Amino acid sequence: MGILSNLEPAPVFKYFEEICNIPHGSGNTDAISNFCANFAIEHGLKYIKDENNNVIIWKEGTKGYENSPSVIIQGHLDMVCEKEAGCNINFEKDGIKLHLDNGIISAEGTTLGGDDGIAIAYALAILESDNIPHPPIEAVFTVDEEIGMTGAAALDCSPLKSRIMLNIDSEEEGYLLVSCAGGASVTVHLPVIRKGVSGIPATIKITGLKGGHSGVEIDKGRANSNMLMGRTLYLLSQKYQFNIFSIYGGNKDNAIPRETHATVVFKTGTVIEDVQKDIEEIDKIYSNEYYSTDPGIKTNIEIEEGSNRYAFNNKSTSRIITALVSFPNGIQRMSHDIEGLVQTSLNLGILKITQIDRRYGYKHNSGEWYSQMAKTDQRYAYYHYSTEVSLNYSVRSSISTEKEEVINRIKCLAEALKCTITCQGDYPAWEYKKDSPLCRLMTEVFEEQYGKKPVVQAIHAGVECGLFAGKLPGLDCVSYGPDIKNIHTPQESMDVESVRRTWEYTLEILKRLK
Protein backbone atom coordinates (compact mmCIF):
# COMPACT_ATOMS: atom_id res chain seq x y z
CA MET A 1 0.00 0.00 0.00
CA GLY A 2 1.11 3.53 -0.72
CA ILE A 3 1.86 6.15 1.89
CA LEU A 4 -1.15 8.18 0.73
CA SER A 5 -3.55 5.24 0.29
CA ASN A 6 -5.72 6.07 3.31
CA LEU A 7 -6.27 9.71 2.37
CA GLU A 8 -9.35 11.25 0.81
CA PRO A 9 -10.12 11.98 -1.97
CA ALA A 10 -8.64 8.55 -2.65
CA PRO A 11 -8.47 8.79 -6.49
CA VAL A 12 -6.59 12.07 -6.32
CA PHE A 13 -3.98 10.84 -3.88
CA LYS A 14 -3.66 7.55 -5.73
CA TYR A 15 -2.70 9.34 -8.92
CA PHE A 16 -0.53 11.86 -7.12
CA GLU A 17 1.50 9.05 -5.57
CA GLU A 18 1.83 7.31 -8.94
CA ILE A 19 3.06 10.56 -10.46
CA CYS A 20 5.62 10.94 -7.65
CA ASN A 21 6.99 7.48 -8.48
CA ILE A 22 7.79 8.62 -12.02
CA PRO A 23 10.85 10.82 -12.74
CA HIS A 24 9.42 14.01 -14.21
CA GLY A 25 11.82 16.88 -13.81
CA SER A 26 11.83 19.64 -16.41
CA GLY A 27 13.44 18.34 -19.59
CA ASN A 28 12.87 14.74 -18.49
CA THR A 29 9.19 14.23 -19.27
CA ASP A 30 9.14 11.16 -21.53
CA ALA A 31 7.99 8.79 -18.78
CA ILE A 32 5.29 11.03 -17.31
CA SER A 33 3.99 11.92 -20.76
CA ASN A 34 3.78 8.22 -21.69
CA PHE A 35 2.02 7.55 -18.39
CA CYS A 36 -0.72 10.02 -19.30
CA ALA A 37 -1.01 8.68 -22.85
CA ASN A 38 -1.32 5.12 -21.53
CA PHE A 39 -3.98 6.29 -19.08
CA ALA A 40 -6.04 7.57 -22.02
CA ILE A 41 -5.62 4.29 -23.89
CA GLU A 42 -6.59 2.19 -20.87
CA HIS A 43 -9.73 4.27 -20.33
CA GLY A 44 -10.74 4.40 -23.97
CA LEU A 45 -10.29 8.15 -24.26
CA LYS A 46 -9.22 10.11 -27.30
CA TYR A 47 -5.81 11.74 -26.85
CA ILE A 48 -2.91 13.45 -28.56
CA LYS A 49 0.74 13.26 -27.46
CA ASP A 50 2.85 15.68 -29.47
CA GLU A 51 6.57 15.58 -30.24
CA ASN A 52 7.29 17.84 -27.26
CA ASN A 53 5.53 15.44 -24.82
CA ASN A 54 2.48 17.65 -24.32
CA VAL A 55 -0.67 15.55 -23.88
CA ILE A 56 -4.34 16.38 -24.54
CA ILE A 57 -7.08 13.97 -23.40
CA TRP A 58 -10.75 14.34 -24.30
CA LYS A 59 -13.78 13.03 -22.41
CA GLU A 60 -17.41 13.52 -23.36
CA GLY A 61 -19.82 15.23 -20.99
CA THR A 62 -21.78 13.11 -18.55
CA LYS A 63 -25.53 12.58 -18.83
CA GLY A 64 -27.29 15.92 -19.14
CA TYR A 65 -24.06 17.70 -20.02
CA GLU A 66 -23.52 16.26 -23.49
CA ASN A 67 -24.23 19.59 -25.19
CA SER A 68 -22.74 21.87 -22.55
CA PRO A 69 -19.78 24.07 -23.50
CA SER A 70 -16.58 22.11 -22.99
CA VAL A 71 -14.02 23.06 -20.34
CA ILE A 72 -10.23 22.78 -20.32
CA ILE A 73 -8.56 21.42 -17.20
CA GLN A 74 -4.89 22.36 -17.45
CA GLY A 75 -1.66 21.78 -15.55
CA HIS A 76 1.98 21.02 -16.29
CA LEU A 77 3.75 17.67 -16.11
CA ASP A 78 7.23 18.81 -15.06
CA MET A 79 8.53 19.61 -11.60
CA VAL A 80 11.53 21.51 -10.25
CA CYS A 81 14.14 19.02 -9.02
CA GLU A 82 16.04 20.27 -5.98
CA LYS A 83 17.49 18.19 -3.17
CA GLU A 84 19.29 18.61 0.11
CA ALA A 85 23.00 17.93 0.48
CA GLY A 86 23.56 14.23 1.02
CA CYS A 87 20.33 13.12 -0.66
CA ASN A 88 21.23 10.32 -3.09
CA ILE A 89 18.14 10.44 -5.32
CA ASN A 90 18.89 10.53 -9.05
CA PHE A 91 16.10 12.67 -10.48
CA GLU A 92 16.74 11.30 -13.97
CA LYS A 93 15.88 7.76 -12.89
CA ASP A 94 14.25 7.80 -9.47
CA GLY A 95 10.88 8.83 -8.20
CA ILE A 96 10.65 10.84 -5.00
CA LYS A 97 10.07 9.40 -1.55
CA LEU A 98 6.92 10.73 0.07
CA HIS A 99 6.50 11.60 3.72
CA LEU A 100 3.20 12.14 5.55
CA ASP A 101 3.07 13.84 8.91
CA ASN A 102 0.01 15.28 10.64
CA GLY A 103 -1.87 15.98 7.43
CA ILE A 104 1.11 17.46 5.58
CA ILE A 105 2.69 15.73 2.58
CA SER A 106 6.35 16.35 1.78
CA ALA A 107 9.26 14.48 0.23
CA GLU A 108 12.35 13.08 1.91
CA GLY A 109 15.15 15.50 1.11
CA THR A 110 13.73 16.73 -2.20
CA THR A 111 11.10 18.91 -3.77
CA LEU A 112 7.64 17.39 -3.69
CA GLY A 113 6.37 18.29 -7.14
CA GLY A 114 2.99 19.35 -5.83
CA ASP A 115 3.64 22.12 -8.33
CA ASP A 116 2.11 20.85 -10.52
CA GLY A 117 1.57 17.14 -9.95
CA ILE A 118 -1.61 17.81 -8.00
CA ALA A 119 -3.25 19.35 -11.10
CA ILE A 120 -2.51 16.19 -13.10
CA ALA A 121 -3.86 14.04 -10.26
CA TYR A 122 -7.10 16.05 -10.09
CA ALA A 123 -7.57 15.80 -13.85
CA LEU A 124 -6.89 12.06 -14.05
CA ALA A 125 -9.27 11.39 -11.15
CA ILE A 126 -12.02 13.31 -12.96
CA LEU A 127 -11.31 11.61 -16.28
CA GLU A 128 -11.43 8.18 -14.60
CA SER A 129 -14.71 8.72 -12.77
CA ASP A 130 -18.12 7.62 -14.00
CA ASN A 131 -20.15 9.48 -11.37
CA ILE A 132 -18.80 13.05 -11.40
CA PRO A 133 -21.14 15.40 -13.31
CA HIS A 134 -19.17 17.46 -15.79
CA PRO A 135 -19.34 19.03 -19.25
CA PRO A 136 -17.11 17.76 -22.06
CA ILE A 137 -13.52 17.94 -20.86
CA GLU A 138 -10.30 18.75 -22.67
CA ALA A 139 -7.49 17.89 -20.25
CA VAL A 140 -4.30 19.63 -21.32
CA PHE A 141 -0.98 18.59 -19.79
CA THR A 142 1.99 20.69 -20.84
CA VAL A 143 5.72 20.16 -20.29
CA ASP A 144 8.67 22.26 -19.19
CA GLU A 145 6.64 25.04 -17.64
CA GLU A 146 9.36 25.52 -15.07
CA ILE A 147 12.05 26.27 -17.66
CA GLY A 148 10.30 28.86 -19.78
CA MET A 149 6.81 27.46 -20.52
CA THR A 150 8.24 25.96 -23.70
CA GLY A 151 5.68 23.16 -23.83
CA ALA A 152 2.72 25.53 -23.81
CA ALA A 153 4.51 27.80 -26.28
CA ALA A 154 4.95 24.90 -28.74
CA LEU A 155 1.50 23.35 -28.22
CA ASP A 156 -0.82 23.29 -31.23
CA CYS A 157 -4.08 24.54 -29.73
CA SER A 158 -6.15 24.16 -32.89
CA PRO A 159 -7.75 20.88 -31.66
CA LEU A 160 -9.05 22.67 -28.55
CA LYS A 161 -12.63 23.89 -28.88
CA SER A 162 -13.27 25.13 -25.35
CA ARG A 163 -12.96 28.77 -24.33
CA ILE A 164 -13.30 28.03 -20.60
CA MET A 165 -10.18 26.95 -18.72
CA LEU A 166 -9.45 25.84 -15.17
CA ASN A 167 -5.70 26.18 -14.64
CA ILE A 168 -4.79 24.35 -11.42
CA ASP A 169 -1.33 25.80 -10.94
CA SER A 170 -1.64 28.23 -8.06
CA GLU A 171 -0.34 27.42 -4.60
CA GLU A 172 -2.54 29.32 -2.18
CA GLU A 173 -6.07 28.22 -1.41
CA GLY A 174 -8.60 31.01 -1.52
CA TYR A 175 -6.86 33.01 -4.24
CA LEU A 176 -8.16 33.21 -7.80
CA LEU A 177 -5.59 34.36 -10.35
CA VAL A 178 -7.25 36.15 -13.26
CA SER A 179 -4.48 37.99 -15.09
CA CYS A 180 -0.76 37.89 -15.77
CA ALA A 181 1.77 39.99 -17.59
CA GLY A 182 2.97 39.35 -21.08
CA GLY A 183 6.58 39.97 -21.81
CA ALA A 184 9.57 40.01 -24.10
CA SER A 185 13.35 40.07 -23.85
CA VAL A 186 14.76 43.17 -25.53
CA THR A 187 18.47 43.66 -26.17
CA VAL A 188 20.03 46.98 -27.08
CA HIS A 189 23.21 46.54 -29.15
CA LEU A 190 25.48 49.55 -28.70
CA PRO A 191 28.53 49.36 -31.02
CA VAL A 192 31.68 50.82 -29.52
CA ILE A 193 35.23 51.53 -30.68
CA ARG A 194 38.39 50.96 -28.69
CA LYS A 195 41.57 52.98 -28.75
CA GLY A 196 44.85 52.89 -26.89
CA VAL A 197 44.79 55.18 -23.86
CA SER A 198 47.19 55.92 -21.05
CA GLY A 199 46.13 56.90 -17.59
CA ILE A 200 45.06 55.51 -14.24
CA PRO A 201 42.90 52.37 -14.49
CA ALA A 202 40.43 51.72 -11.69
CA THR A 203 37.51 49.39 -11.10
CA ILE A 204 34.27 50.72 -9.65
CA LYS A 205 32.07 48.12 -7.96
CA ILE A 206 28.46 48.38 -6.85
CA THR A 207 27.64 45.37 -4.68
CA GLY A 208 25.48 44.09 -1.83
CA LEU A 209 22.05 44.63 -3.41
CA LYS A 210 19.14 42.30 -2.67
CA GLY A 211 18.02 41.80 -6.28
CA GLY A 212 14.97 39.59 -6.79
CA HIS A 213 12.49 38.54 -9.45
CA SER A 214 11.99 41.35 -11.95
CA GLY A 215 8.24 40.73 -12.12
CA VAL A 216 7.07 39.66 -8.69
CA GLU A 217 9.48 41.91 -6.77
CA ILE A 218 9.78 44.90 -9.10
CA ASP A 219 7.45 46.82 -6.78
CA LYS A 220 9.73 46.45 -3.75
CA GLY A 221 11.74 49.53 -4.72
CA ARG A 222 15.04 47.68 -4.73
CA ALA A 223 18.06 49.15 -6.45
CA ASN A 224 19.25 47.97 -9.86
CA SER A 225 23.06 47.83 -9.86
CA ASN A 226 23.29 48.39 -13.62
CA MET A 227 21.25 51.57 -13.41
CA LEU A 228 23.26 52.80 -10.43
CA MET A 229 26.47 52.21 -12.36
CA GLY A 230 25.18 54.47 -15.13
CA ARG A 231 24.32 57.11 -12.54
CA THR A 232 27.75 56.75 -10.91
CA LEU A 233 29.64 57.08 -14.18
CA TYR A 234 27.59 60.13 -15.14
CA LEU A 235 28.33 61.87 -11.83
CA LEU A 236 32.04 61.17 -12.23
CA SER A 237 32.01 62.32 -15.86
CA GLN A 238 30.93 65.79 -14.71
CA LYS A 239 34.28 66.22 -12.93
CA TYR A 240 36.78 63.84 -14.52
CA GLN A 241 37.83 62.61 -17.94
CA PHE A 242 37.95 58.84 -18.31
CA ASN A 243 37.38 56.04 -20.79
CA ILE A 244 35.45 52.86 -20.02
CA PHE A 245 37.49 49.69 -20.49
CA SER A 246 35.00 47.04 -19.35
CA ILE A 247 31.54 46.99 -17.82
CA TYR A 248 29.27 44.13 -16.80
CA GLY A 249 26.51 43.32 -14.33
CA GLY A 250 23.65 40.83 -13.86
CA ASN A 251 23.16 37.31 -15.20
CA LYS A 252 19.48 37.09 -16.14
CA ASP A 253 17.18 39.65 -17.68
CA ASN A 254 14.34 38.55 -15.40
CA ALA A 255 16.36 39.12 -12.23
CA ILE A 256 17.09 42.52 -10.70
CA PRO A 257 20.92 42.70 -10.85
CA ARG A 258 22.74 42.74 -7.52
CA GLU A 259 26.27 43.62 -8.63
CA THR A 260 27.92 45.63 -11.43
CA HIS A 261 31.60 46.30 -12.17
CA ALA A 262 33.13 48.90 -14.47
CA THR A 263 36.82 49.38 -15.16
CA VAL A 264 37.69 52.87 -16.38
CA VAL A 265 40.93 54.66 -17.26
CA PHE A 266 41.17 58.14 -15.77
CA LYS A 267 43.14 60.75 -17.67
CA THR A 268 46.78 61.04 -16.64
CA GLY A 269 47.10 63.64 -13.92
CA THR A 270 43.76 62.92 -12.28
CA VAL A 271 44.01 63.22 -8.52
CA ILE A 272 42.79 59.78 -7.66
CA GLU A 273 42.31 60.69 -4.00
CA ASP A 274 39.63 63.15 -5.13
CA VAL A 275 37.90 60.40 -7.10
CA GLN A 276 37.98 58.15 -4.06
CA LYS A 277 36.37 60.87 -1.95
CA ASP A 278 33.63 61.32 -4.57
CA ILE A 279 32.98 57.58 -4.60
CA GLU A 280 32.65 57.70 -0.81
CA GLU A 281 30.06 60.46 -1.16
CA ILE A 282 28.19 58.51 -3.83
CA ASP A 283 28.23 55.48 -1.54
CA LYS A 284 26.62 57.58 1.21
CA ILE A 285 23.94 58.81 -1.22
CA TYR A 286 23.00 55.28 -2.28
CA SER A 287 23.10 53.98 1.30
CA ASN A 288 20.73 56.76 2.32
CA GLU A 289 18.34 56.28 -0.62
CA TYR A 290 18.18 52.49 -0.28
CA TYR A 291 18.71 52.04 3.47
CA SER A 292 15.48 50.04 3.86
CA THR A 293 15.36 48.09 0.59
CA ASP A 294 19.09 47.36 0.13
CA PRO A 295 20.82 47.84 3.50
CA GLY A 296 23.95 46.05 2.29
CA ILE A 297 24.57 48.29 -0.73
CA LYS A 298 28.20 49.30 -1.23
CA THR A 299 30.00 51.42 -3.84
CA ASN A 300 33.79 51.40 -3.91
CA ILE A 301 36.76 51.88 -6.21
CA GLU A 302 39.97 49.89 -6.59
CA ILE A 303 43.05 51.17 -8.40
CA GLU A 304 44.37 48.75 -11.02
CA GLU A 305 47.96 48.06 -12.06
CA GLY A 306 49.43 49.32 -15.34
CA SER A 307 48.70 52.45 -17.32
CA ASN A 308 47.94 51.44 -20.93
CA ARG A 309 44.61 50.00 -22.02
CA TYR A 310 42.61 49.63 -25.21
CA ALA A 311 39.58 51.31 -23.74
CA PHE A 312 36.46 52.67 -25.43
CA ASN A 313 37.06 56.00 -27.10
CA ASN A 314 35.50 59.21 -25.80
CA LYS A 315 32.41 59.03 -27.97
CA SER A 316 31.73 55.38 -27.12
CA THR A 317 32.21 56.04 -23.42
CA SER A 318 29.76 58.95 -23.58
CA ARG A 319 27.15 56.88 -25.46
CA ILE A 320 27.32 54.06 -22.89
CA ILE A 321 26.76 56.50 -20.03
CA THR A 322 23.95 58.25 -21.91
CA ALA A 323 22.24 54.92 -22.60
CA LEU A 324 22.43 53.78 -18.98
CA VAL A 325 21.10 57.08 -17.69
CA SER A 326 18.40 57.60 -20.33
CA PHE A 327 16.79 54.22 -21.03
CA PRO A 328 13.72 53.56 -18.86
CA ASN A 329 13.78 51.03 -16.05
CA GLY A 330 11.46 49.80 -13.32
CA ILE A 331 7.72 50.38 -12.89
CA GLN A 332 6.14 52.33 -15.73
CA ARG A 333 2.47 52.08 -14.77
CA MET A 334 0.26 50.64 -12.04
CA SER A 335 -3.09 48.97 -12.70
CA HIS A 336 -6.30 50.97 -12.24
CA ASP A 337 -8.37 47.79 -12.00
CA ILE A 338 -6.49 45.77 -9.39
CA GLU A 339 -5.07 47.62 -6.39
CA GLY A 340 -1.33 47.23 -5.91
CA LEU A 341 -0.73 45.46 -9.23
CA VAL A 342 2.18 46.57 -11.37
CA GLN A 343 0.79 46.82 -14.88
CA THR A 344 3.88 47.64 -16.91
CA SER A 345 7.59 47.49 -16.10
CA LEU A 346 11.02 46.72 -17.48
CA ASN A 347 14.27 45.58 -15.95
CA LEU A 348 17.84 46.06 -17.18
CA GLY A 349 18.94 42.61 -16.05
CA ILE A 350 22.17 42.11 -17.99
CA LEU A 351 24.86 44.59 -18.95
CA LYS A 352 27.83 43.12 -20.76
CA ILE A 353 30.44 43.46 -23.48
CA THR A 354 30.19 41.16 -26.45
CA GLN A 355 33.37 40.58 -28.43
CA ILE A 356 32.84 39.38 -31.99
CA ASP A 357 35.86 37.66 -33.53
CA ARG A 358 35.86 39.15 -37.01
CA ARG A 359 37.78 36.16 -38.35
CA TYR A 360 35.24 33.54 -37.31
CA GLY A 361 32.11 35.41 -36.21
CA TYR A 362 32.44 33.84 -32.77
CA LYS A 363 31.00 35.80 -29.84
CA HIS A 364 32.55 36.12 -26.39
CA ASN A 365 29.93 37.42 -24.00
CA SER A 366 31.90 38.00 -20.82
CA GLY A 367 33.23 41.37 -19.82
CA GLU A 368 35.49 39.59 -17.32
CA TRP A 369 36.89 37.39 -20.07
CA TYR A 370 37.72 40.37 -22.24
CA SER A 371 39.33 42.23 -19.36
CA GLN A 372 41.70 39.36 -18.64
CA MET A 373 42.45 38.55 -22.27
CA ALA A 374 43.07 42.14 -23.29
CA LYS A 375 45.46 42.75 -20.41
CA THR A 376 47.76 40.04 -21.73
CA ASP A 377 47.27 40.49 -25.47
CA GLN A 378 45.86 43.95 -26.04
CA ARG A 379 46.83 44.54 -29.65
CA TYR A 380 45.49 41.10 -30.69
CA ALA A 381 42.18 41.96 -29.03
CA TYR A 382 42.11 45.37 -30.63
CA TYR A 383 42.73 44.26 -34.20
CA HIS A 384 40.77 41.00 -34.30
CA TYR A 385 37.65 41.79 -32.31
CA SER A 386 34.79 44.18 -32.91
CA THR A 387 32.92 45.19 -29.81
CA GLU A 388 29.45 46.04 -28.62
CA VAL A 389 27.95 46.76 -25.24
CA SER A 390 24.60 45.05 -24.84
CA LEU A 391 21.79 45.98 -22.49
CA ASN A 392 19.33 43.14 -21.93
CA TYR A 393 15.85 44.08 -20.70
CA SER A 394 12.89 42.04 -19.53
CA VAL A 395 9.77 43.99 -20.53
CA ARG A 396 6.45 43.07 -18.90
CA SER A 397 2.89 44.32 -19.10
CA SER A 398 -0.60 42.94 -18.56
CA ILE A 399 -1.72 45.23 -21.42
CA SER A 400 -0.21 44.19 -24.75
CA THR A 401 -0.30 47.68 -26.24
CA GLU A 402 1.65 49.07 -23.28
CA LYS A 403 4.30 46.39 -23.71
CA GLU A 404 4.64 47.43 -27.35
CA GLU A 405 4.83 51.09 -26.31
CA VAL A 406 7.73 50.44 -23.93
CA ILE A 407 9.59 48.49 -26.61
CA ASN A 408 9.04 51.36 -29.02
CA ARG A 409 10.47 53.80 -26.49
CA ILE A 410 13.58 51.65 -26.21
CA LYS A 411 13.79 51.44 -29.98
CA CYS A 412 13.43 55.20 -30.39
CA LEU A 413 16.19 55.97 -27.90
CA ALA A 414 18.38 53.25 -29.39
CA GLU A 415 18.07 54.75 -32.85
CA ALA A 416 19.03 58.18 -31.49
CA LEU A 417 22.19 56.61 -30.02
CA LYS A 418 22.96 54.74 -33.27
CA CYS A 419 22.10 51.40 -31.64
CA THR A 420 20.00 48.48 -32.81
CA ILE A 421 17.62 46.30 -30.81
CA THR A 422 16.50 42.69 -31.01
CA CYS A 423 13.40 41.17 -29.40
CA GLN A 424 12.88 37.54 -28.55
CA GLY A 425 10.83 35.31 -26.29
CA ASP A 426 7.71 37.41 -26.79
CA TYR A 427 4.72 35.98 -24.93
CA PRO A 428 1.22 37.47 -24.65
CA ALA A 429 -0.46 39.00 -21.64
CA TRP A 430 -3.44 37.37 -20.00
CA GLU A 431 -5.54 40.49 -19.76
CA TYR A 432 -7.97 41.01 -16.89
CA LYS A 433 -11.63 40.38 -17.78
CA LYS A 434 -13.84 42.54 -15.59
CA ASP A 435 -16.95 40.63 -16.67
CA SER A 436 -15.58 37.07 -16.55
CA PRO A 437 -18.50 34.61 -16.14
CA LEU A 438 -16.08 31.93 -14.94
CA CYS A 439 -14.60 34.15 -12.23
CA ARG A 440 -18.09 35.18 -11.14
CA LEU A 441 -19.17 31.51 -10.90
CA MET A 442 -16.02 30.47 -9.04
CA THR A 443 -16.46 33.35 -6.61
CA GLU A 444 -20.07 32.32 -5.91
CA VAL A 445 -19.12 28.67 -5.34
CA PHE A 446 -16.23 29.67 -3.10
CA GLU A 447 -18.44 31.88 -0.92
CA GLU A 448 -20.96 29.05 -0.53
CA GLN A 449 -18.29 26.49 0.37
CA TYR A 450 -16.00 28.61 2.52
CA GLY A 451 -18.32 31.30 3.87
CA LYS A 452 -16.09 34.12 2.68
CA LYS A 453 -15.01 35.77 -0.53
CA PRO A 454 -11.90 34.58 -2.37
CA VAL A 455 -9.08 36.98 -3.15
CA VAL A 456 -9.16 37.81 -6.86
CA GLN A 457 -5.66 38.76 -7.94
CA ALA A 458 -3.27 39.25 -10.83
CA ILE A 459 0.46 38.65 -11.09
CA HIS A 460 3.15 40.74 -12.76
CA ALA A 461 4.89 37.70 -14.22
CA GLY A 462 4.25 35.20 -16.99
CA VAL A 463 2.17 32.06 -16.50
CA GLU A 464 0.90 29.49 -18.97
CA CYS A 465 -2.56 31.04 -18.97
CA GLY A 466 -1.11 33.96 -20.92
CA LEU A 467 0.09 31.67 -23.69
CA PHE A 468 -3.29 29.94 -23.88
CA ALA A 469 -5.10 33.27 -23.87
CA GLY A 470 -2.98 34.33 -26.83
CA LYS A 471 -3.75 31.15 -28.77
CA LEU A 472 -7.43 30.81 -27.86
CA PRO A 473 -9.20 34.14 -28.52
CA GLY A 474 -11.98 34.82 -26.02
CA LEU A 475 -10.61 32.38 -23.44
CA ASP A 476 -12.17 32.77 -19.99
CA CYS A 477 -9.65 31.41 -17.51
CA VAL A 478 -8.97 31.28 -13.78
CA SER A 479 -5.96 29.77 -12.02
CA TYR A 480 -6.29 28.32 -8.51
CA GLY A 481 -5.07 25.45 -6.37
CA PRO A 482 -4.57 24.04 -2.86
CA ASP A 483 -2.03 25.21 -0.32
CA ILE A 484 1.49 24.23 -1.33
CA LYS A 485 4.30 25.86 0.64
CA ASN A 486 7.99 26.40 -0.14
CA ILE A 487 7.68 25.35 -3.77
CA HIS A 488 10.90 24.71 -5.69
CA THR A 489 12.75 23.85 -2.46
CA PRO A 490 13.35 20.59 -0.56
CA GLN A 491 11.01 22.00 2.11
CA GLU A 492 8.02 21.93 -0.26
CA SER A 493 4.86 20.62 1.38
CA MET A 494 1.17 20.19 0.56
CA ASP A 495 -1.80 20.28 2.93
CA VAL A 496 -4.08 17.22 2.72
CA GLU A 497 -7.23 19.02 3.88
CA SER A 498 -6.60 21.85 1.43
CA VAL A 499 -6.33 19.29 -1.38
CA ARG A 500 -9.66 17.81 -0.30
CA ARG A 501 -11.41 21.17 -0.13
CA THR A 502 -10.04 22.22 -3.50
CA TRP A 503 -11.22 18.91 -4.97
CA GLU A 504 -14.76 19.53 -3.71
CA TYR A 505 -14.57 23.09 -4.99
CA THR A 506 -13.49 21.88 -8.44
CA LEU A 507 -16.30 19.31 -8.63
CA GLU A 508 -18.92 21.90 -7.76
CA ILE A 509 -17.57 24.27 -10.45
CA LEU A 510 -17.77 21.49 -13.05
CA LYS A 511 -21.28 20.62 -11.91
CA ARG A 512 -22.44 24.21 -12.51
CA LEU A 513 -20.77 24.60 -15.88
CA LYS A 514 -23.82 23.17 -17.58
Side-chain angles (χ1 to χ4, degrees), residues 62-65 68 71 131-135 166 441 445 504-514:
T62 54
K63 186 176 180 180
Y65 290 80
S68 300
V71 59
N131 57 14
I132 294 175
H134 63 75
L166 303 177
L441 170 63
V445 173
E504 294 173 356
Y505 179 55
T506 301
L507 297 192
E508 185 62 24
I509 293 165
L510 292 174
K511 182 178 179 181
R512 298 198 192 185
L513 285 171
K514 191 170 184 180

Side-chain angles (χ1 to χ4, degrees), residues 72-252:
I72 296 169
I73 300 177
Q74 193 267 324
H76 61 86
L77 294 170
D78 62 312
M79 65 172 282
V80 170
C81 294
E82 292 289 338
K83 61 183 179 180
E84 295 175 343
C87 179
N88 60 6
I89 281 182
N90 181 345
F91 284 116
E92 294 292 317
K93 300 178 181 179
D94 303 330
I96 61 175
K97 297 178 181 179
L98 293 175
H99 179 73
L100 177 64
D101 181 31
N102 197 28
I104 301 297
I105 303 169
S106 59
E108 296 181 9
T110 71
T111 39
L112 174 64
D115 174 22
D116 194 23
I118 193 61
I120 311 305
Y122 280 141
L124 295 180
I126 292 166
L127 292 170
E128 177 190 61
S129 174
D130 292 326
N131 57 14
I132 294 175
H134 63 75
I137 289 174
E138 299 175 323
V140 180
F141 307 145
T142 52
V143 296
D144 297 342
E145 187 269 352
E146 303 290 4
I147 54 174
M149 304 185 288
T150 55
L155 180 67
D156 177 9
C157 288
S158 61
L160 299 175
K161 305 305 178 186
S162 178
R163 293 299 182 268
I164 302 170
M165 188 167 92
L166 303 177
N167 167 269
I168 312 176
D169 191 19
S170 292
E171 294 84 30
E172 194 167 2
E173 185 181 9
Y175 286 77
L176 304 182
L177 184 64
V178 295
S179 174
C180 77
S185 294
V186 180
T187 301
V188 177
H189 306 273
L190 195 160
V192 288
I193 298 173
R194 291 189 182 274
K195 72 170 185 176
V197 298
S198 296
I200 306 169
T203 297
I204 302 165
K205 297 181 180 180
I206 299 176
T207 59
L209 282 66
K210 278 191 175 181
H213 189 283
S214 70
V216 177
E217 293 170 307
I218 198 72
D219 62 341
K220 301 295 189 295
R222 295 173 185 169
N224 179 309
S225 61
N226 290 335
M227 298 300 295
L228 287 186
M229 182 58 75
R231 179 178 173 183
T232 302
L233 294 176
Y234 176 76
L235 291 173
L236 293 176
S237 72
Q238 302 306 292
K239 295 180 64 174
Y240 309 100
Q241 292 184 27
F242 60 83
N243 297 86
I244 297 173
F245 172 69
S246 70
I247 188 166
Y248 55 92
N251 297 309
K252 296 181 179 179

